[in-house]
Amino acid sequence: QVQLVESGGGLVQAGGSLSLSCAVSGRTFGAYTMGWFRQAPGKEREFVACIMSSGGSTYYADSVKGRFSISRDNAKSTVYLQMNSLEPKDTAVYYCAAGYASGRSAIVRANLYDYWGQGTQVTVSS
């Protein structure tokens, strides 16, 4: 059974920073593509960022490029999302996900990830 547990969400003022973590149980963390998605009230879940199993390639949604940074520590089975220059439009529940998606068209699709965390709330005040 693979479990993902996010932490690090909270309330921050616009322009501030937050760091999210996602700890993954199981023995095959190193094989997973790890993604971060978010869902704001009344909106569909959207792709934020992902990092491939090797850690060598990362991808970002245009809306967060240059502000967010994804990384992973395979020894700790943990993926991180560093969020800087936060804006009110970044307010959402943030989810981490694990799967085997590869290729630019696949990694942004939530339905191609196999395992999900419970989500952590990020609120950015203006």
Side-chain angles (χ1 to χ4, degrees), residues 41-120:
K43 295 188 176 181
E44 292 188 354
R45 191 168 298 190
E46 65 173 359
F47 170 78
V48 174
C50 85
I51 185 167
M52 307 309 289
S53 57
S54 65
S57 296
T58 57
Y59 302 92
Y60 298 92
D62 288 343
S63 59
V64 306
K65 202 171 293 183
R67 301 187 298 123
F68 290 13
S69 178
I70 188 171
S71 61
R72 67 190 295 160
D73 185 336
N74 285 352
K76 295 182 178 180
S77 296
T78 300
V79 63
Y80 306 95
L81 185 68
Q82 177 65 40
M83 305 184 294
N84 299 324
S85 302
L86 283 161
E87 304 170 1
K89 66 180 181 180
D90 296 316
T91 295
V93 177
Y94 283 70
Y95 299 90
C96 70
Y100 299 100
S102 62
R104 293 298 298 268
S105 62
I107 57 174
V108 301
R109 294 174 56 183
N111 64 336
L112 294 186
Y113 287 78
D114 299 300
Y115 306 101
W116 290 83
Q118 81 287 352
T120 185

